[in-house]
Amino acid sequence: MIKFLDLQKINAKYNDELKKAASDVIDSGWFLMGKKLNNFENELASYTGAAHAIGVANGLDALRLIIRGYIELGIMKEGDEIIVPANTYIASILAITDNRLKPIFVEPDPLTFNIDIKDLESRITVNTKAIMIVHLYGQVCWNENLKGITTKYNLKVIEDNAQAIGASWKGIKTGNLGDAAGFSFYPGKNLGALGDAGAVTTNDNELAGIIRSLANYGSSKKYVNQFQGLNSRLDEIQAAFLTVKLNHIDQENDYRKKIANYYLESIKNDKIVLPTAPQAEEHVWHLFVIRTKYRDKLKEFLQEKGIETLIHYPIPPHKQECYRAFEELSLPITEEIHNEVLSLPISPVLNMDEVETVVSFINQF
């Protein structure tokens, strides 16, 4: 079986380093908000180029806390609008609605899967306070037009960088393009923890301070609570693991690019629509997602040949039961994408013989 993602093998590459990191934390007797977290935050800030990195419990909380921070600063309030891609993972939407703001769904570009920037301006109203950019599947979503729009309307840009650590635009890494960014270190991500973990990056000193307090029960001083916060802290052991793996992220992303380039050059089947990467060298290929009207048949065919694939994501957010209020929205491109996408195996431990096997069977389909 060619696994879609072999986490055991991925982490085995760093087995000794990870075990030492865990041992160091256990021996220290300090498990929250200690030296390991501080070190990882400094390393992540340095890597992205941002002034601040704040470790939090998961990627959803990272986005929730950014919006909540803007609310506490008086920049946003209940009922305000945030523009967001319609085909993102539901966490992007949950972060908005959890703060009682309104998501404004914009269709994606069907080739890149990222939000169609040329359609943004028409969706801006007096209530729009931010655009949430999702660097979906690892491809940076940014251009000069986006910068111009946000400046013209004085909008905040929140990056959902859950899938794109290491991606860049003109030498600037994702996580340092907008006003603030949320990261997920879910185990299957390019930089994956051994459990749940996340982070926020920003160059805004005031926002960073508020988010740090909000994530710690609304407190910056023990037993003194300035805000009605929550408990969303990145623990010492996950911070230690992530520091180990951050040292290898560029090498692993480069290997993902090698696999993706082989797929792009070698898949020759008129039933398959390949992803488009206008800035391929800046794409970190968290997922390699193809489209086909025969998605379910192809998935079954590949499974029979011993190749595991996944669907990211079968149901768009506006069609989820929890968002029945949005189910009447007309988003045909999003719905078509969700009915056709299939993710092929791609990871730093997938060998090229396996990649060639995947291509061979796809071309036979």
Side-chain angles (χ1 to χ4, degrees):
M1 169 67 73
I2 297 176
K3 290 186 177 182
F4 177 78
L5 185 65
D6 192 335
L7 289 178
Q8 190 173 17
K9 189 180 288 187
I10 288 172
N11 289 314
K13 293 170 60 180
Y14 314 119
N15 195 42
D16 291 342
E17 291 179 88
L18 293 171
K19 285 183 176 179
K20 184 180 186 304
S23 179
D24 288 347
V25 173
I26 293 167
D27 290 345
S28 75
W30 197 283
F31 306 112
L32 286 169
M33 300 177 71
K35 292 180 180 178
K36 297 296 186 184
L37 174 60
N38 184 65
N39 184 57
F40 174 66
E41 290 178 336
N42 289 337
E43 293 285 336
L44 181 62
S46 177
Y47 180 78
T48 60
H52 303 278
I54 304 110
V56 298
N58 53 69
L60 172 56
D61 277 4
L63 296 174
R64 290 170 66 207
L65 286 161
I66 290 168
I67 297 170
R68 175 70 186 283
Y70 282 132
I71 291 171
E72 296 294 348
L73 284 169
I75 293 170
M76 298 178 189
K77 65 182 184 305
E78 183 175 334
D80 282 342
E81 298 171 353
I82 295 180
I83 291 172
V84 65
N87 63 314
T88 185
Y89 181 59
I90 199 168
S92 311
I93 315 303
L94 290 170
I96 298 169
T97 59
D98 185 63
N99 281 291
R100 298 182 179 179
L101 274 70
K102 182 180 178 180
I104 301 299
F105 297 97
V106 173
E107 292 268 54
D109 180 321
L111 297 178
T112 67
F113 301 110
N114 277 332
I115 196 169
D116 195 337
I117 292 173
K118 68 179 182 293
D119 286 346
L120 289 180
E121 192 165 10
S122 66
R123 307 306 303 277
I124 295 170
T125 73
V126 294
N127 296 316
T128 308
K129 294 298 186 290
I131 299 172
M132 183 181 288
I133 293 299
V134 181
H135 305 298
L136 198 65
Y137 308 148
Q139 181 163 201
V140 64
C141 180
W142 200 264
N143 65 21
E144 294 290 352
N145 289 338
L146 175 62
K147 289 177 65 178
I149 290 168
T150 57
T151 301
K152 179 179 178 180
Y153 294 96
N154 192 29
L155 302 177
K156 296 297 182 183
V157 178
I158 301 168
E159 295 176 74
D160 181 338
N161 199 38
Q163 300 185 0
I165 186 168
S168 62
W169 180 80
K170 294 187 176 181
I172 304 170
K173 282 192 168 63
T174 54
N176 195 29
L177 288 165
D179 295 285
F183 291 70
S184 168
F185 305 121
Y186 178 78
K189 295 295 195 290
N190 289 32
L191 179 63
L194 276 67
D196 264 327
V200 173
T201 55
T202 184
N203 292 309
D204 185 327
N205 296 337
E206 191 173 13
L207 179 66
I210 288 175
I211 288 173
R212 196 174 289 281
S213 294
L214 284 170
N216 185 38
Y217 297 96
S219 171
S220 57
K221 181 180 179 182
K222 196 169 186 178
Y223 302 131
V224 178
N225 300 80
Q226 184 180 0
F227 308 104
Q228 296 179 31
L230 59 151
N231 176 14
S232 182
R233 301 179 295 198
L234 177 60
D235 65 69
E236 287 286 280
I237 205 158
Q238 295 301 339
F241 290 152
L242 287 166
T243 301
V244 168
K245 298 181 77 175
L246 183 59
N247 291 327
H248 305 281
I249 188 64
D250 287 338
Q251 178 184 354
E252 292 197 349
N253 281 344
D254 285 345
Y255 188 68
R256 287 175 179 270
K257 293 176 188 179
K258 179 180 178 180
I259 295 171
N261 287 336
Y262 187 85
Y263 279 149
L264 290 170
E265 293 167 1
S266 305
I267 294 175
K268 308 289 185 184
N269 187 320
D270 60 10
K271 298 180 183 67
I272 305 297
V273 179
L274 294 170
T276 298
Q279 303 164 104
E281 72 282 358
E282 297 170 343
H283 195 329
V284 294
W285 299 100
H286 171 59
L287 298 172
F288 190 93
V289 181
I290 62 173
R291 289 173 52 206
T292 175
K293 295 185 183 301
Y294 309 96
R295 191 260 308 280
D296 294 341
K297 289 182 179 178
L298 175 59
K299 182 174 175 59
E300 183 180 352
F301 172 78
L302 292 174
Q303 184 71 29
E304 290 172 353
K305 302 301 182 183
I307 299 167
E308 185 180 21
T309 59
L310 294 179
I311 299 171
H312 296 89
Y313 305 97
I315 305 172
H318 73 287
K319 292 296 184 182
Q320 296 285 357
E321 185 177 354
C322 63
Y323 285 128
R324 286 190 296 272
F326 302 129
E327 66 182 354
E328 298 304 321
L329 290 175
S330 177
L331 296 164
I333 297 174
T334 293
E335 290 167 25
E336 183 178 34
I337 284 173
H338 283 261
N339 287 330
E340 294 182 356
V341 290
L342 187 67
S343 300
L344 303 183
I346 187 167
S347 82
V349 295
L350 192 69
N351 68 56
M352 293 309 295
D353 286 342
E354 291 173 316
V355 176
E356 291 172 10
T357 300
V358 173
V359 169
S360 175
F361 284 121
I362 287 177
N363 287 343
Q364 291 175 35
F365 176 73

